[in-house]
Amino acid sequence: MNSRRAFVVWGVAVLAYVLAVMQRSSLGVSGVDAQDRFAVSAAVLSTLAVVQIAVYAGLQIPVGIALDRVGPRRLVLLGALLLTIGQAVVALSPTIGPAIVGRVLVGAGDAMTFISVMRLLPMWFSGSLLPQISQWTGNLGQIGQIVSAFPFALLLHSVGWDAAFGVAAIASAVGLVLAVVFVRAGPVAVRTDTIPLPHSWGAAFRTFGHALRRPGTQLGFWSHYVTQSSGTVFSLLWGVPMLRGLGYSATEAATFLTVIVLVGFVAGPVLGLLCARFPMRRSNLVLGIVTALGVVWTAVLLWPGQPPTWLLVLLVVAMGVGGPGSLIGFDFARSFNPVGSLGSANGVVNVGGFLAAFVMMFAIGSLLDVLAAASGTDTFAWQNFRVAMTVQYLVVGFGVVMLLLARRRTRARLHAEDGIRVGPLWVALVARLRNGRVQ
């Protein structure tokens, strides 16, 4: 446990995740180029991202079940292979049809990577290091977004679409070879105290059913849903066009995306430590992050005229915290599930943010087309984005309500099974003032 070999395996697995994020976010920095290459509307362009995210989200549960049946190594390898093929197809696509097929393959490969890497962690790490390693996994993976924002974008604008996406495909092929050599399942025996490790596909589906019914898994799903979705929509598709509509250059827009990642590097370890120190208050962290996102988005959208740069920086900082904040959902899954069903639980959780994201992506694209036609303005004009981005309030607001209901059920089950009663936050704060401890 926590050995040197564990860190080697983790490092290569994280590299596979970095490459998956790069392939996932490559469309976000090439959205304007894609519209020019394929000559399509904003709604059709959003289809490229929506289909990719829909496939990603739709495969999370099947992949989670497969993880508990066949283990993470095979799925990491299969994911890298699909990413390689998918980006090669996108590179060679002369029209939107084949490009959509390529992004479907990218979404499928991406779907297999992150939760497989997360499934490896409890096999190699334990103790208070585990939640911190989980946060670092999510944060380091976002380096892929920086790679797509700068090296990939530079390559795209200097050598063209075909070569840039071709190089991206080659990068995943290299990751595949490294994963074949280094990634292995860990030496830690899977706990069988509650649910045995499934030895058949039927047993794997039953394990998934157990995980899905646990209120803690549902709490993880809604935590991921409300914290990740806004940043995903911004980074994967509509952030760069929105910033271009505000008059920023392609390089400046890419810098904003990079800020999201850099903030995650700072916020992630802090959130990991807070989760380890105050495990009964993790949902309060989630709600605090969502509140901050809502306040800053409201300020941006209601600002008279063009919002100032400092406010947009504050927006991407809030979204940067939302990324590692979504990993709290996986911490809920780990806490309330035996390791034998953790793949299924992680799959359920990881659907959350991406489900919300693809709903918002398509709705925003459709609204942009309607607003542009009605006003006679450019599709990506700021006045159109100002209205279209309000879709987030409906989608995320619904998620907050569901999160509160899941939290109530989770706390009720904790009290019934373990005798643990989690009181309101203000009660805990008063207790801290009295005796120096917070539950």
Side-chain angles (χ1 to χ4, degrees):
M1 296 298 291
N2 305 340
S3 64
R4 181 179 299 177
R5 186 185 179 194
F7 280 96
V8 171
V9 172
W10 174 64
V12 176
V14 167
L15 176 61
Y17 179 44
V18 168
L19 293 171
V21 172
M22 182 193 75
Q23 316 297 14
R24 178 201 305 170
S25 56
S26 59
L27 184 62
V29 299
S30 59
V32 176
D33 301 84
Q35 189 178 39
D36 293 338
R37 178 182 176 90
F38 301 125
V40 294
S41 67
V44 174
L45 176 61
S46 70
T47 303
L48 271 175
V50 168
V51 167
Q52 172 189 332
I53 297 301
V55 169
Y56 181 101
L59 284 178
Q60 287 305 297
I61 290 173
V63 169
I65 294 171
L67 269 174
D68 290 331
R69 178 68 185 92
V70 303
R73 181 177 186 271
R74 294 180 184 179
L75 293 182
V76 168
L77 301 182
L78 180 57
L81 178 62
L82 290 175
L83 287 165
T84 301
I85 297 172
Q87 288 292 65
V89 171
V90 172
L92 301 175
S93 297
T95 61
I96 192 71
I100 290 175
V101 173
R103 295 309 287 189
V104 166
L105 294 174
V106 169
D110 190 14
M112 297 178 184
T113 306
F114 178 64
I115 62 172
S116 297
V117 175
M118 293 295 286
R119 183 69 169 80
L120 275 170
L121 299 186
M123 294 180 172
W124 288 98
F125 299 97
S126 64
S128 62
L129 182 62
L130 183 54
Q132 296 179 56
I133 287 290
S134 298
Q135 281 288 345
W136 275 111
T137 299
N139 293 333
L140 290 172
Q142 301 315 304
I143 292 174
Q145 189 169 305
I146 297 178
V147 174
S148 66
F150 284 104
F152 176 80
L154 179 63
L155 197 63
L156 177 67
H157 297 135
S158 59
V159 300
W161 182 281
D162 298 10
F165 279 92
V167 170
I170 293 171
S172 277
V174 172
L176 172 60
V177 172
L178 290 174
V180 168
V181 175
F182 292 104
V183 174
R184 294 289 185 276
V188 179
V190 176
R191 277 188 359 232
T192 58
D193 53 342
T194 306
I195 296 179
L197 182 67
H199 295 290
S200 69
W201 286 106
F205 277 95
R206 288 191 293 273
T207 297
F208 162 73
H210 285 288
L212 181 62
R213 289 191 293 272
R214 289 191 179 89
T217 305
Q218 297 166 21
L219 179 58
F221 172 94
W222 293 112
S223 298
H224 195 269
Y225 180 104
V226 298
T227 48
Q228 178 172 309
S229 50
S230 182
T232 298
V233 168
F234 193 88
S235 299
L236 294 194
L237 187 59
W238 293 125
V240 170
M242 187 189 93
L243 292 168
R244 296 294 295 273
L246 284 168
Y248 293 94
S249 68
T251 301
E252 290 169 334
T255 302
F256 278 101
L257 298 183
T258 303
V259 170
I260 295 177
V261 179
L262 296 179
V263 169
F265 279 119
V266 177
V270 174
L271 290 175
L273 288 171
L274 289 173
C275 286
R277 176 66 181 85
F278 306 110
M280 298 300 173
R281 299 297 166 186
R282 289 172 291 182
S283 61
N284 293 110
L285 292 174
V286 171
L287 292 171
I289 292 168
V290 175
T291 300
L293 281 166
V295 168
V296 180
W297 265 115
T298 300
V300 169
L301 297 178
L302 292 182
W303 193 274
Q306 179 169 318
T309 299
W310 66 264
L311 184 56
L312 293 171
V313 171
L314 191 59
L315 174 65
V316 295
V317 167
M319 289 189 286
V321 177
S326 69
L327 298 178
I328 297 174
F330 296 99
D331 208 45
F332 282 127
R334 180 182 59 80
S335 299
F336 295 103
N337 286 273
V339 177
S341 62
L342 191 53
S344 296
N346 282 343
V348 172
V349 169
N350 210 28
V351 170
F354 291 98
L355 173 64
F358 83 71
V359 170
M360 290 194 288
M361 280 180 181
F362 185 75
I364 290 168
S366 299
L367 274 174
L368 286 173
D369 283 337
V370 170
L371 294 166
S375 62
T377 58
D378 179 72
T379 302
F380 298 147
W382 168 239
Q383 66 191 64
N384 298 332
F385 271 109
R386 191 194 294 271
V387 176
M389 286 296 188
T390 60
V391 166
Q392 298 176 92
Y393 294 96
L394 294 175
V395 177
V396 176
F398 171 75
V400 169
V401 173
M402 298 304 293
L403 183 149
L404 292 173
L405 294 174
R407 182 174 73 169
R408 179 183 299 175
R409 292 193 299 271
T410 302
R411 289 181 173 180
R413 185 161 180 171
L414 268 176
H415 183 245
E417 294 184 354
D418 301 321
I420 299 174
R421 184 185 295 274
V422 183
L425 180 60
W426 69 268
V427 174
L429 292 175
V430 170
R432 180 175 177 82
L433 291 175
R434 290 179 175 176
N435 57 33
R437 291 188 63 185
V438 176
Q439 230 183 355

